[in-house]
C-alpha cells in the first residue's frame, strides 16, 4: 500500500509574520519594542524641530542624515505622502520580538521555484502542524494520517489537501528506500559532511547529526547554471561529481538518528524547519541557557514552544558528557560570534568512541583552553581524530567583533542590542584556529584530518535572487582558500591531511 510523503523538493521554514525566524525574534524582550516606539516618537519630534528652523528640503536632508546614524533605522521609513513623517515598516515588530500568534510555517519549493512560498499561519497551533509534518516527512498511510489529523485541536485536513494540490506531498511506494545506501550501511566509525556545519558521525551502534541545515532538492535556473558552479569555488573539491546534477540531501533522507546536537542559536545551525521534519522521539541536545544573558536564546523553550512539548530536548553544559550508543559526547565552550564582553553558554562538541574522535567547533574560535581540553582528552591516544573548524589563521586578534568587516553592527542577530559601547573595539579572537595552536594540537594528539566547514561551500548557498525563498546569503570558501589550507597542512611534519570525504559520502575513520 502506498504512503503519503512530503516531497524531497520541499522543506518547511519558519517566520514571524513575514520576517524570517532569527535569534532576534526567537524571544520576546519588551525593551526592543520600547526602543522602536521611542525611536518613532523621537524622529517625529526631531522633524518638527528641524521644520521650524529650516526649509522643508533642508530639514528633510538633515533628518535623513540623523536617521542614518540610529541603530535599527531600517525598522522605519520616511513618509512623504502626508501624515506622520516616519512610520514603522510593516515587518518591524515581527523582526525584533517573538510573537507565537504570528508564527508561520512556509514550505520552500525547490521544484517549481515559486517566488512566494505557500504558508500556514500556524500561530499557537504550530506544535500540531509540526506533528503532521514530521509524520509526512517519513511517509504515512492515509489511515494513519487521518488518525494524526483527528488528534489535532485544529482542522488541518484542508491544509493537507492544498499541499497535495501544490505537489508538496507525493504518493510513494514505502518499500523504495530514500536514504542513500552509504548512509544506511556500514559498521565502522565514519564521518559524513552534509554541507555547511552539518556532519553525521556514525558507528555500528549509533548515528548522531550536528547542526542540520539542509535545503530541499533544487531545480536550477539557467542563470544559476552559470553563476553557482565554477572551478573557482572551493566546493568543487568536496563534491563528487561536481556539476548541476549534484543533488542536495533532504532532511527526510537522513538515516535513523539517535540524537541531534546543536552548537548555537543561529538559524544555519539551529533550524526549526529541519528539526520539525525529524521523528518526534529523536533527542535534541542544546547548550545550557542563563536567563541573565538576554543575548542567549533559550533553545529548549523555543523548540518546545514551536515544535511541541513532546519533543525531547536535553541541555548539555560545558564539561558534561552524555552517551549515545557507543559514542561519548562532551560539550566544551564556544567562543567568538559574539563580542568578548557577552559570554555565552554555546557549545562545541567532542564525540569519541574507542577508535575515533571528532570535534565539531562550528563558528567558534579555538582558544588555548580549547586546545588544553582536546589535548587532555585525546593526548597520548592512538584514536584517529578529526577537527571540524573554520579556517586556519595567523592568531592576530581583530579590533572588535564584526559579522561583516564593513558593518559595525549586524541587525539580524541579538548581540547588537546588548553590547556595551565601550566594548565596540575590544580585541577578539577570530573563528577557527591559529596556526600555532593547530601545530600544538597536531603534535600532541593523533589529529589525522582537518575539515574546513561552516562557511557555506555549496552551490545552493549562492542563489542570488534576493526575493527567492531559497536564497541564503552566506560566505563560501574559494578554491584558493582550500588549496592554501592544503599547502599549510602538508608543511606540517606528520601533520593531518585535508578531510578526504565528499558531500553525503561517509568516510571511514578506521581506514585513516
Amino acid at each position: 500500500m502506498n504512503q503519503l510523503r512530503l516531497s524531497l523538493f520541499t522543506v518547511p521554514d519558519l517566520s514571524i509574520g513575514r520576517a524570517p525566524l532569527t535569534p532576534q525574534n526567537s524571544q520576546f524582550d519588551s525593551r526592543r519594542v520600547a526602543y522602536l516606539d521611542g525611536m518613532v516618537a523621537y524622529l517625529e519630534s526631531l522633524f518638527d524641530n528641524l521644520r521650524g528652523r529650516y526649509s522643508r528640503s533642508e530639514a528633510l536632508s538633515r533628518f535623513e542624515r540623523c536617521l542614518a546614524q540610529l541603530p535599527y533605522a531600517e525598522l522605519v521609513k520616511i513618509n512623504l505622502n502626508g501624515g506622520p513623517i516616519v512610520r514603522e515598516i510593516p515587518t518591524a515588530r515581527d523582526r525584533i520580538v517573538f510573537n507565537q500568534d504570528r508564527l508561520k510555517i512556509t514550505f520552500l519549493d525547490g521544484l517549481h521555484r515559486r517566488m512566494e512560498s505557500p504558508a500556514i499561519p500556524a500561530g499557537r497551533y504550530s506544535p500540531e502542524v509540526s506533528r503532521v509534518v514530521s509524520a509526512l516527512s517519513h511517509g504515512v498511510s492515509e489511515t494513519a494520517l487521518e488518525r494524526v489529523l483527528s488528534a489535532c485541536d485544529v482542522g488541518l485536513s484542508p491544509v493537507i489537501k492544498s499541499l497535495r494540490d501544490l505537489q508538496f506531498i507525493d504518493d510513494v511506494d514505502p518499500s523504495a528506500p530514500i536514504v542513500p545506501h552509504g548512509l544506511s550501511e556500514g559498521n565502522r566509525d565514519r564521518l559524513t559532511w552534509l554541507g555547511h556545519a552539518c556532519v553525521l558521525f556514525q558507528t555500528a551502534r549509533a548515528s548522531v547529526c550536528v547542526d542540520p541545515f539542509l535545503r530541499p532538492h533544487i531545480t536550477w535556473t539557467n542563470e544559476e547554471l552559470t553563476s553557482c558552479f565554477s572551478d573557482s569555488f572551493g566546493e568543487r573539491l568536496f563534491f563528487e561529481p561536481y556539476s548541476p546534477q549534484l543533488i542536495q540531501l533532504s532532511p527526510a533522507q537522513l538515516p535513523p538518528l539517535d540524537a541531534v546536537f546543536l552548537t548555537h542559536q543561529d538559524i544555519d545551525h539551529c533550524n526549526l524547519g529541519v528539526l520539525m521534519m525529524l521523528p518526534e522521539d529523536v533527542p535534541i541536545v542544546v547548550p545550557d541557557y542563563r536567563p541573565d544573558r538576554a543575548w542567549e536564546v533559550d533553545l529548549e523553550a523555543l523548540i518546545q514552544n514551536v515544535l511541541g512539548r513532546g519533543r525531547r530536548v536535553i541541555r548539555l553544559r560545558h564539561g558534561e558528557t552524555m552517551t549515545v550508543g557507543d559514542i561519548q559526547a562532551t560539550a566544551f565552550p564556544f567562543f567568538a560570534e559574539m563580542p568578548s564582553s557577552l559570554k555565552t553558554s554555546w557549545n562545541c562538541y567532542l564525540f569519541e568512541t574507542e577508535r575515533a574522535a571528532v570535534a565539531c567547533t562550528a563558528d567558534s574560535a579555538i582558544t588555548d583552553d580549547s586546545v588544553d581540553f582536546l589535548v587532555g582528552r585525546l593526548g597520548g591516544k592512538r584514536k584517529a581524530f578529526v577537527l571540524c573548524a573554520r579556517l586556519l589563521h595567523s592568531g592576530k586578534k581583530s579590533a572588535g567583533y564584526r559579522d561583516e568587516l564593513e558593518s559595525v553592527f549586524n541587525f539580524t542577530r541579538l548581540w547588537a542590542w546588548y553590547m556595551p559601547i565601550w566594548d565596540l573595539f575590544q580585541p577578539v579572537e577570530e573563528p577557527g584556529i591559529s596556526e600555532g595552536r593547530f601545530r600544538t594540537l597536531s603534535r600532541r594528539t593523533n589529529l589525522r584530518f582537518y575539515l574546513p566547514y561552516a562557511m557555506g561551500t555549496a552551490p545552493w548557498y549562492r542563489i542570488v535572487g534576493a526575493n527567492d525563498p531559497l536564497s541564503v546569503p552566506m560566505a563560501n570558501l574559494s578554491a584558493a582558500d582550500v588549496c592554501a589550507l592544503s599547502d599549510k597542512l602538508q608543511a606540517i611534519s606528520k601533520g593531518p591531511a585535508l578531510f578526504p570525504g565528499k558531500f553525503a559520502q561517509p568516510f571511514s575513520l578506521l581506514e585513516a
Side-chain angles (χ1 to χ4, degrees):
M1 180 182 296
N2 279 7
Q3 291 184 339
L4 300 179
R5 189 180 67 212
L6 199 65
S7 167
L8 299 181
F9 287 90
T10 303
V11 169
D13 201 18
L14 285 103
S15 63
I16 304 295
R18 296 179 62 87
L21 189 68
T22 69
Q24 192 172 202
N25 60 4
S26 291
Q27 56 173 229
F28 183 84
D29 188 334
S30 60
R31 291 173 294 183
R32 294 180 219 150
V33 177
Y35 176 85
L36 177 59
D37 291 338
M39 179 167 61
V40 171
Y42 161 73
L43 290 170
E44 288 288 348
S45 174
L46 172 65
F47 187 74
D48 286 345
N49 182 282
L50 293 173
R51 189 71 183 87
R53 292 188 288 145
Y54 304 100
S55 68
R56 180 175 174 81
S57 60
E58 176 65 15
L60 188 60
S61 175
R62 289 173 177 264
F63 179 77
E64 289 174 335
R65 289 198 297 271
C66 181
L67 177 62
Q69 299 175 47
L70 293 181
Y72 290 90
E74 72 270 30
L75 295 177
V76 299
K77 63 179 180 181
I78 296 175
N79 173 37
L80 300 177
N81 299 320
I85 188 64
V86 63
R87 292 178 180 171
E88 297 177 16
I89 63 172
T91 61
R93 293 175 189 255
D94 289 338
R95 289 182 60 181
I96 60 175
V97 291
F98 185 76
N99 182 344
Q100 182 129 16
D101 290 331
R102 291 185 56 76
L103 191 64
K104 289 173 62 175
I105 299 172
T106 60
F107 290 86
L108 302 180
D109 182 5
L111 179 60
H112 301 292
R113 302 291 297 274
R114 297 174 172 90
M115 287 294 100
E116 186 74 20
S117 295
I120 301 173
R124 296 184 181 276
Y125 293 106
S126 64
E128 316 249 15
V129 180
S130 173
R131 188 173 305 119
V132 174
V133 170
S134 177
L136 284 169
S137 297
H138 299 277
V140 61
S141 68
E142 295 261 15
T143 303
L145 180 60
E146 288 177 6
R147 287 198 299 269
V148 174
L149 293 174
S150 65
C152 294
D153 292 331
V154 61
L156 293 175
S157 295
V159 171
I160 300 303
K161 182 181 184 304
S162 296
L163 291 177
R164 294 181 75 170
D165 292 343
L166 290 167
Q167 300 178 35
F168 283 11
I169 296 177
D170 296 331
D171 193 305
V172 299
D173 177 359
S175 66
I178 63 170
V179 178
H181 177 75
L183 299 183
S184 59
E185 301 292 334
N187 56 11
R188 293 191 171 192
D189 295 2
R190 54 206 185 277
L191 183 67
T192 309
W193 177 68
L194 297 177
H196 196 49
C198 179
V199 298
L200 180 67
F201 184 41
Q202 296 173 284
T203 69
R205 294 174 48 199
S207 293
V208 298
C209 188
V210 187
D211 287 352
F213 180 52
L214 303 172
R215 312 301 285 166
H217 290 188
I218 295 171
T219 54
W220 300 98
T221 66
N222 289 332
E223 179 184 1
E224 288 163 354
L225 294 180
T226 58
S227 64
C228 293
F229 297 86
S230 168
D231 284 348
S232 67
F233 299 136
E235 74 253 13
R236 71 177 173 83
L237 302 173
F238 300 114
F239 286 89
E240 195 175 81
Y242 178 62
S243 72
Q245 282 68 49
L246 65 87
I247 297 176
Q248 168 62 303
L249 191 82
S250 165
Q253 294 177 284
L254 289 168
L257 299 174
D258 296 288
V260 167
F261 289 78
L262 307 180
T263 57
H264 65 298
Q265 62 204 35
D266 287 347
I267 58 172
D268 53 336
H269 299 263
C270 172
N271 188 275
L272 295 189
V274 173
L275 297 179
M276 180 182 295
M277 296 180 68
L278 299 178
E280 291 189 291
D281 59 351
V282 174
I284 302 172
V285 183
V286 301
D288 195 19
Y289 165 74
R290 283 180 43 173
D292 60 323
R293 294 174 174 172
W295 50 91
E296 289 186 352
V297 175
D298 184 347
L299 293 183
E300 179 180 24
L302 177 66
I303 291 168
Q304 293 189 336
N305 284 340
V306 175
L307 304 186
R309 298 290 173 185
R311 296 281 178 155
R312 184 184 173 200
V313 185
I314 300 170
R315 299 186 196 268
L316 199 64
R317 298 177 177 85
H318 297 160
E320 290 185 340
T321 296
M322 63 179 288
T323 301
V324 182
D326 56 347
I327 299 174
Q328 280 194 319
T330 305
F332 63 101
F334 183 118
F335 299 95
E337 289 239 305
M338 199 65 92
S340 299
S341 59
L342 303 182
K343 307 302 181 186
T344 76
S345 305
W346 299 352
N347 287 343
C348 299
Y349 295 105
L350 175 65
F351 300 97
E352 293 180 83
T353 68
E354 292 181 354
R355 304 157 296 277
V358 177
C360 295
T361 62
D363 301 314
S364 176
I366 300 174
T367 65
D368 288 338
D369 287 343
S370 309
V371 172
D372 289 344
F373 165 75
L374 293 170
V375 169
R377 292 294 292 261
L378 303 174
K381 298 180 181 178
R382 297 181 57 82
K383 62 178 66 175
F385 173 34
V386 182
L387 176 66
C388 308
R390 296 279 286 267
L391 288 176
L392 288 176
H393 57 79
S394 67
K396 181 180 178 181
K397 293 185 176 182
S398 61
Y401 179 76
R402 301 286 177 273
D403 287 308
E404 299 172 349
L405 188 61
E406 306 85 20
S407 303
V408 176
F409 292 106
N410 178 310
F411 295 136
T412 63
R413 307 218 295 198
L414 275 170
W415 63 266
W417 285 103
Y418 303 106
M419 183 181 65
I421 192 67
W422 50 82
D423 283 341
L424 192 60
F425 304 108
Q426 183 186 64
V428 294
E429 295 269 357
E430 275 192 58
I433 183 169
S434 70
E435 293 184 31
R437 290 171 180 149
F438 188 75
R439 289 178 181 273
T440 298
L441 207 54
S442 300
R443 186 174 64 253
R444 300 183 63 186
T445 69
N446 188 25
L447 181 58
R448 302 301 303 275
F449 297 106
Y450 180 60
L451 172 59
Y453 82 151
M455 299 184 71
T457 320
W460 37 85
Y461 299 128
R462 213 175 294 105
I463 294 174
V464 295
N467 295 320
D468 190 329
L470 296 179
S471 175
V472 183
M474 191 176 290
N476 278 254
L477 290 175
S478 69
D481 290 330
V482 179
C483 290
L485 172 61
S486 181
D487 290 343
K488 289 179 180 178
L489 297 179
Q490 291 177 18
I492 299 175
S493 177
K494 297 181 180 180
L498 197 65
F499 181 70
K502 305 300 182 182
F503 173 80
Q505 298 181 22
F507 177 76
S508 173
L509 303 183
L510 305 188
E511 296 174 358

